[in-house]
Amino acid sequence: MSDDSSSPASKGQSLWGGRFERKPAELMQAINVSIGFDKRLWAEDLAGSRAHAAMLAKQGIITPADEAAIQDGLNRIETEIAGGTFPFRDEYEDIHLNVEARLTELIGAAAGRLHTARSRNDQVALDFRLWTRAACDHAIGRIRALQRALLAKAEAHADALMPGFTHLQPAQPVTFGHHLMAYVEMFGRDAGRFADARARMNENPLGAAALAGSPFPIDRHATSAALGFDRPTANSLDSVSDRDFALEALAAATICATHLSRLAEEIVIWVTPQFGFIKLSDAFTTGSSIMPQKRNPDAAELTRAKTGRVLASLTNLIVVMKGLPLAYSKDMQEDKVPTFEAFDALDLALSAMAGMVADMEPDTARMAAAAGSGFSTATDLADWLVRELDMPFRGAHHVTGRAVKRAEELGLGLADLPLSELKAIEPGITEGVYQVLTPAASAASRTSYGGTAPIRVREQISIWKERLA
Ligand code: ARG
């Protein structure tokens, strides 16, 4: 063990300043410093350093005594950071150098051995990967909670009728349960995308060192196992320059945020007095400072808007990465802010949406009434003509169109058209047709796999209940 007189931190110098004669310009520090945001990686940085120090000792690269001192110092730093007493300092640029400088203050010379066979390039690649991996796991947990909320509502209203829309025009009756289960499917794919991204990113870049690997007899498999990675990354240049793990996570986040935005948009529409399909409690609405009658779905609107941030973060990082030569460039320091921002926004949006879904109460009578409006069972009439009168579908479509026109003229719904009116259009029509013209019959008849019939919806609900159990 040497004494610590050679340590730059002990002399108040920057940790990389050996060949420099002057301190950086203030502006240089202002543009270079990242501790303000990358302090968020502190737990990952300590975990990486612990694994690295243990491996160095096991390989005989540092002594057991140095390793013990380093582990002890890292533990003390953890206590300081968790307790809010750690001195984060701009002059040490980033989380890595802040930890190393503090370690030097706490344990002296041994601290200078921790960085053997390591560079900040593989260190930051490791820390950020660990953070992004945890963020994916966290997002999956939040998505599951939202799916459970949707599932509970879907089960409670598996046969509540509502209009199904295309072009936001009444199309065919569906059930509210079926509609909510559509989102369970979407969010299921979102969770799958995070899981796929996680599986691909789960390789350990530590040991790539600056860019070319290390001449020390390091064991990258050991640090991989210690940090929960499947294996070490296979190319040292790629290891320090790859950020597509973050891009992929941000792409998954963007698609998920888009789904949240669509659900939010539907909630905004459904709570309008004109639709009146659902009610949100006071917990998820706000009033207006001037219009006392208002009850605004702000949480849904903000969820819809957060999509902008998430997509912007993906765009931001893609543009940062585009055109960077191998291997590490300082541009990549700008990877963290957008990624943190996107996952913070997504976390909030997923949680708020789970809360709103659990909170919302459908007005089932109003939805059922709307389900019958807009001649929503016209397709059922056409299908009946095909089935009972053996008409070609095109002909049946034409006959149905005339029935709709007549009903419109008389100001009636299809089910209220007298048989004489229907017979005037198509003499073969009989009393039996009325059985298919109600919204309930229409929905119940759609028993094809994945269809809106309540028995099919309940099947899907029980499949998902098992999956989410
Ligand atoms: N703060 C830096 C970042 O986030 C750490 C890596 C610095 N590496 C270097 N060669 N200057 O990217």
Side-chain angles (χ1 to χ4, degrees):
M1 261 214 288
S2 64
D3 67 33
D4 86 354
S5 62
S6 62
S7 157
S10 69
K11 291 186 267 170
Q13 290 172 352
S14 112
L15 293 180
W16 43 255
R19 61 160 294 193
F20 287 74
E21 285 166 9
R22 291 200 300 150
K23 289 175 74 161
E26 263 175 49
L27 268 176
M28 177 59 208
Q29 196 187 80
I31 195 170
N32 201 28
V33 68
S34 60
I35 188 64
F37 53 85
D38 67 18
K39 63 167 69 147
R40 194 159 167 179
L41 296 175
W42 68 268
E44 290 78 11
D45 199 69
L46 293 179
S49 288
R50 285 186 177 116
H52 186 63
M55 181 277 293
L56 291 176
K58 198 186 107 218
Q59 297 300 102
I61 300 168
I62 63 173
T63 64
D66 281 345
E67 198 232 349
I70 289 169
Q71 300 292 4
D72 175 58
L74 293 173
N75 290 342
R76 287 161 66 186
I77 288 172
E78 176 171 22
T79 307
E80 288 184 354
I81 297 180
T85 62
F86 183 89
F88 288 107
R89 288 166 290 194
D90 279 359
E91 62 268 34
Y92 292 123
E93 283 182 38
D94 57 23
I95 184 64
H96 325 293
L97 297 182
N98 266 272
V99 168
E100 191 178 333
R102 184 68 185 143
L103 192 64
T104 305
E105 289 165 4
L106 291 173
I107 69 167
R113 300 196 180 271
L114 172 60
H115 214 51
T116 314
R118 186 175 77 169
S119 151
R120 272 191 294 158
N121 296 350
D122 59 340
Q123 195 177 355
V124 74
L126 169 69
D127 293 4
F128 191 40
R129 207 178 269 244
L130 288 172
W131 189 92
T132 307
R133 187 178 74 179
C136 288
D137 290 342
H138 182 80
I140 291 171
R142 286 274 191 254
I143 290 172
R144 295 306 183 208
L146 171 56
Q147 285 182 298
R148 283 193 195 93
L150 286 162
L151 203 56
K153 278 289 149 176
E155 188 168 36
H157 304 288
D159 29 33
L161 295 166
M162 72 179 279
F165 297 93
T166 58
H167 313 266
L168 201 55
Q169 301 286 326
Q172 292 171 349
V174 296
T175 71
F176 191 47
H178 192 55
H179 194 110
L180 296 178
M181 289 304 289
Y183 284 99
V184 170
E185 292 292 332
M186 288 186 233
F187 292 118
R189 291 192 296 275
D190 289 331
R193 266 181 283 273
F194 281 118
D196 289 348
R198 186 204 202 279
R200 229 177 330 274
M201 81 176 67
N202 203 29
E203 295 186 341
N204 175 24
L206 186 63
L211 75 166
S214 172
F216 292 96
I218 56 174
D219 182 354
R220 298 189 59 210
H221 294 275
T223 51
S224 297
L227 295 164
F229 287 109
D230 295 331
R231 61 192 83 83
T233 49
N235 181 299
S236 61
L237 290 168
D238 177 45
S239 310
V240 296
S241 77
D242 162 43
R243 291 294 181 274
D244 58 50
F245 63 87
L247 290 175
E248 203 174 345
L250 289 173
T254 301
I255 297 172
C256 182
T258 305
H259 288 155
L260 286 168
S261 182
R262 295 183 70 177
L263 178 54
E265 169 71 7
E266 299 220 83
I267 290 177
V268 169
I269 292 173
W270 291 342
V271 296
T272 58
Q274 288 74 13
F275 265 76
F277 282 8
I278 61 168
K279 281 208 166 42
L280 289 174
S281 78
D282 295 354
F284 284 95
T285 48
T286 60
S288 156
S289 55
I290 176 168
M291 298 165 283
Q293 84 283 11
K294 294 268 279 191
R295 198 178 173 79
N296 299 325
D298 295 34
E301 296 166 86
L302 289 163
T303 295
R304 192 171 57 182
K306 296 271 180 211
T307 311
R309 266 181 211 248
V310 181
L311 169 61
S313 300
L314 171 62
T315 311
N316 182 335
L317 187 53
I318 285 207
V319 174
V320 167
M321 296 308 295
K322 176 193 165 299
L324 290 190
L326 297 187
Y328 177 84
S329 298
K330 198 60 172 271
D331 309 51
M332 286 152 70
Q333 178 164 285
E334 296 283 319
D335 54 3
K336 293 163 207 70
V337 170
T339 308
F340 294 161
E341 190 170 49
F343 276 94
D344 287 346
L346 187 71
D347 181 44
L348 205 51
L350 281 166
S351 308
M353 192 54 80
M356 270 182 285
V357 167
D359 184 69
M360 70 189 184
E361 271 315 318
D363 184 337
T364 49
R366 199 174 158 111
M367 280 204 290
S373 72
F375 310 106
S376 64
T377 55
T379 318
D380 298 274
L381 172 55
D383 289 345
W384 186 91
L385 296 168
V386 170
R387 250 189 346 261
E388 302 296 323
L389 305 187
D390 199 26
M391 275 190 190
F393 184 79
R394 278 294 153 231
H397 186 281
H398 185 77
V399 168
T400 304
R402 290 181 56 205
V404 167
K405 184 160 178 278
R406 187 65 188 135
E408 211 164 20
E409 282 163 10
L410 299 172
L412 295 172
L414 267 186
D416 312 316
L417 261 190
L419 188 60
S420 55
E421 292 287 348
L422 288 169
K423 277 189 179 298
I425 297 165
E426 167 48 57
I429 295 180
T430 62
E431 190 69 37
V433 75
Y434 291 104
Q435 277 165 29
V436 304
L437 294 184
T438 65
S442 170
S445 74
R446 294 197 149 65
T447 53
S448 55
Y449 186 84
T452 199
I455 50 161
R456 290 289 100 86
V457 173
R458 288 191 196 283
E459 274 166 16
Q460 290 302 322
I461 290 172
S462 67
I463 289 169
W464 271 106
K465 269 175 115 172
E466 216 158 284
R467 266 184 213 157
L468 295 176

